[in-house]
Amino acid sequence: MSSETTITWQDFEKVHLRAGTIVRAEPFPEARRPAYKVWVRFGEDDVRKSSAQITERYAPEELVGTRVICVTNFPPKQIGPIRSEVLICGFEDDAGAIVLARPDGEVPDGARLK
């Protein structure tokens, strides 16, 4: 039996899940747990930073151009020397590594999940 909490449609509508494209990624040696600094574009003039613990499955150089799904309306969070502005979504695999959640098909940067 699942331990998930039931939410209303109004609760779901409060979460802004948007498609974006990673435009830059680099190691984040100051992080307590292995992570990258990642910049995601959600529109022409809308690029936001994040810290992503995705080092087990991805190299920084292969992330550029990757489409991802992010939560864009959490408050910013200070993580070491950077201010994380979005949460990049992913799933844990059997080994505990994060697999990125990605749109299946072409949608514009900033498109909201419905």
Side-chain angles (χ1 to χ4, degrees):
M1 181 125 200
S2 175
S3 63
E4 293 180 352
T5 302
T6 301
I7 64 171
T8 66
W9 183 255
Q10 291 76 22
D11 291 332
F12 174 72
E13 287 181 319
K14 292 176 185 176
V15 180
H16 291 206
L17 289 159
R18 297 191 184 273
T21 301
I22 295 175
V23 295
R24 181 176 163 194
E26 61 188 49
F28 188 6
E30 305 91 347
R32 281 187 269 151
R33 296 173 66 192
Y36 296 135
K37 296 177 196 174
V38 180
W39 288 258
V40 182
R41 182 183 62 227
F42 296 98
E44 191 173 318
D45 295 322
D46 187 4
V47 175
R48 303 183 204 182
K49 292 181 295 204
S50 186
S51 169
Q53 296 174 358
I54 55 175
T55 59
E56 291 182 43
R57 294 183 64 105
Y58 306 97
E61 59 275 3
E62 74 181 270
L63 288 168
V64 174
T66 299
R67 305 293 313 247
V68 290
I69 298 170
C70 302
V71 176
T72 60
N73 66 328
F74 279 143
K77 181 177 182 178
Q78 194 69 37
I79 300 176
I82 76 160
R83 188 172 166 103
S84 184
E85 302 167 308
V86 298
L87 173 69
I88 300 171
C89 297
F91 301 92
E92 229 179 51
D93 68 13
D94 289 339
I98 301 300
V99 177
L100 292 171
R102 306 177 194 206
D104 181 25
E106 289 300 315
V107 294
D109 285 340
R112 186 164 174 196
L113 185 127
K114 302 270 183 184

